[in-house]
Amino acid sequence: MAVQDNITQLQLEIEQYKLKIKQLERENSHLTLVNKRVNEQLNAALDGTGLCLWEQHIPSGNLTIFNQQWGQLLGFTRQELPAHIDSWKGNLHPDDKDWVIEAFESHVAGKAETYQAVHRMIHKDGTVAWVSDRGRIIEHDINGQPLRIMGAHVDITKEKRYEEELAKLAHRDPLTNLLNRTALVKAFKKQKQQNRQHNCGALCFIDLDGFKVVNDHLGHRYGDNLLIHIAHQLLHTCQQLFNPGNSKAKQDHFHVARFGGDEFVILTQCNDVELLSEMANTLLDLYRPPLELDGETINIGLSIGISLFDELDEFTNVCEQADKAMYSVKKHGKHNVMFW
């Protein structure tokens, strides 16, 4: 009788365990479904934001991306780019690689509270992708060593390109892409700081002769094309005379700017009057004969004023001196050069 009672009790316990198992299975199925929906909601919320959640198992170096395919940011497939810390390191931009890895390893070593970096990576097609990346250790092993780090990175390439375009607009003439006045003043100050021990260089002020007539007769669009043509010629001539490969010019670098209208300025470290005269006369020779441009034959000239300066001179004064020298050329027949 006692044996039968034990068997009955055991059967009851087995049935209870079976019921418990079925209950746990139902709860597990429910939790799995909830987890799936939470992930779907997370992915939906993150889609289009460029935000990517990642986790690294530190001992192995293996990486997991939760809401995007690995390598998607850089245009790679998982087969082309293994999900590993070495793949990430290998695609960092050469100019950012050392300091970014140092920032990451500093946090892993416990020297920094978090890892955070805005850096560049190299896309599969060779272009540059910008990333805002941050993370922190979320788990240590029984010995206190970091086991897992989790974080997020955001693709900010579009924002960075927009910033670069804004910076370009702030310092460039939109028509010719030459420097504007603000950028040239900055270059002038920098040049003075770098050349305190000797004469700093020269500023050449150039005004076109006959531009208004051409612009009025052939229209503003033609006038714009002419200004672009002049800008290219100024750059080309300066590159020929002032580039580092020219032994006579040594390291006489230059900047070319447009101040608006038909006024151009050349700033150079060269203070050699002979070489500056050669530059001016090269430009004058280009426009002595009539110019063939866009199916039209026009006459255009250059009035050039040049002022040498040293570390004591201010931009406004130097520019005014070159401007006065240029106007002296205008008064005495145009298409010529005069030094202040």
Side-chain angles (χ1 to χ4, degrees):
M1 190 68 179
V3 173
Q4 184 63 40
D5 290 342
N6 289 336
I7 292 174
T8 302
Q9 181 64 30
L10 183 60
Q11 288 175 337
L12 288 173
E13 290 178 357
I14 291 173
E15 289 299 321
Q16 288 176 351
Y17 281 126
K18 286 181 178 179
L19 290 174
K20 189 66 175 178
I21 290 172
K22 288 182 179 180
Q23 182 182 353
L24 290 174
E25 288 176 345
R26 288 195 298 270
E27 290 177 355
N28 183 63
S29 297
H30 175 70
L31 290 174
T32 300
L33 180 61
V34 170
N35 182 62
K36 180 181 178 182
R37 288 177 177 174
V38 168
N39 285 330
E40 289 174 349
Q41 292 169 355
L42 177 61
N43 290 337
L46 294 174
D47 281 348
T49 66
L51 180 65
C52 177
L53 299 181
W54 57 266
E55 180 184 305
Q56 181 202 341
H57 180 254
I58 296 173
S60 67
N62 291 329
L63 288 166
T64 301
I65 302 295
F66 291 103
N67 62 309
Q68 292 182 14
Q69 290 186 351
W70 168 255
Q72 181 178 344
L73 172 66
L74 302 180
F76 292 96
T77 64
R78 193 181 184 95
Q79 291 72 33
E80 293 174 310
L81 193 69
H84 194 272
I85 188 67
D86 291 340
S87 299
W88 172 72
K89 291 179 179 180
N91 284 277
L92 289 169
H93 191 283
D95 294 340
D96 295 343
K97 186 172 184 177
D98 291 342
W99 74 263
V100 172
I101 293 176
E102 182 181 353
F104 181 84
E105 294 180 346
S106 179
H107 172 59
V108 173
K111 298 177 182 178
E113 291 186 4
T114 60
Y115 157 67
Q116 186 170 357
V118 175
H119 62 85
R120 292 163 290 180
M121 299 193 74
I122 303 300
H123 195 277
K124 181 181 178 180
D125 61 11
T127 58
V128 173
W130 279 91
V131 175
S132 177
D133 199 11
R134 64 185 302 160
R136 64 179 179 86
I137 302 295
I138 59 171
E139 184 180 354
H140 294 79
D141 62 19
I142 58 175
N143 297 316
Q145 296 300 311
L147 186 63
R148 291 189 301 138
I149 179 173
M150 190 172 187
H153 71 239
V154 184
D155 182 359
I156 58 171
T157 305
K158 291 182 179 179
E159 290 81 354
K160 279 293 181 179
R161 288 176 179 169
Y162 180 67
E163 288 178 9
E164 290 171 357
E165 287 298 318
L166 286 179
K168 183 178 178 181
L169 289 173
H171 294 90
R172 293 280 175 176
D173 170 53
L175 176 64
T176 63
N177 201 35
L178 297 178
L179 298 182
N180 59 19
R181 185 186 183 96
T182 300
L184 194 72
V185 171
K186 184 176 180 180
F188 179 88
K189 292 179 179 178
K190 183 177 180 180
Q191 184 169 314
K192 287 209 308 176
Q193 292 174 352
Q194 294 175 341
N195 295 274
R196 292 183 180 277
Q197 303 303 319
H198 54 80
N199 291 337
C200 290
L203 188 144
C204 311
F205 203 102
I206 303 170
D207 190 85
L208 304 190
D209 302 325
F211 176 75
K212 187 177 185 305
V213 174
V214 172
N215 202 41
D216 291 345
H217 181 65
L218 297 176
H220 294 294
R221 184 173 180 179
Y222 186 90
D224 288 347
N225 290 340
L226 175 58
L227 293 172
I228 293 171
H229 170 83
I230 298 289
H232 289 166
Q233 290 294 342
L234 294 179
L235 285 170
H236 178 73
T237 300
C238 289
Q239 287 167 352
Q240 293 295 313
L241 292 174
F242 300 137
N243 63 27
N246 187 325
S247 59
K248 186 176 181 181
K250 297 181 181 179
Q251 296 292 325
D252 294 319
H253 301 298
F254 66 93
H255 301 279
V256 182
R258 177 181 174 228
F259 277 12
D262 58 346
E263 295 179 339
F264 296 88
V265 176
I266 298 172
L267 173 68
T268 173
Q269 294 180 21
C270 176
N271 54 24
D272 183 334
V273 173
E274 180 181 351
L275 187 58
L276 291 167
S277 298
E278 181 181 348
M279 175 208 68
N281 285 308
T282 299
L283 292 171
L284 293 171
D285 289 342
L286 287 173
Y287 297 101
R288 293 192 195 281
L291 173 66
E292 298 284 342
L293 181 66
D294 294 345
E296 300 286 347
T297 302
I298 61 172
N299 291 302
I300 200 77
L302 308 178
S303 291
I304 306 173
I306 301 177
S307 176
L308 303 180
F309 64 91
D310 58 29
E311 71 277 5
L312 299 178
D313 291 312
E314 295 298 328
F315 179 83
T316 302
N317 293 335
V318 175
C319 195
E320 183 179 349
Q321 291 167 359
D323 188 44
K324 287 181 178 179
M326 181 273 296
Y327 272 108
S328 293
V329 173
K330 292 277 191 185
K331 292 179 181 179
H332 296 86
K334 300 182 180 181
H335 199 67
N336 208 336
V337 58
M338 181 177 291
F339 284 81
W340 172 257

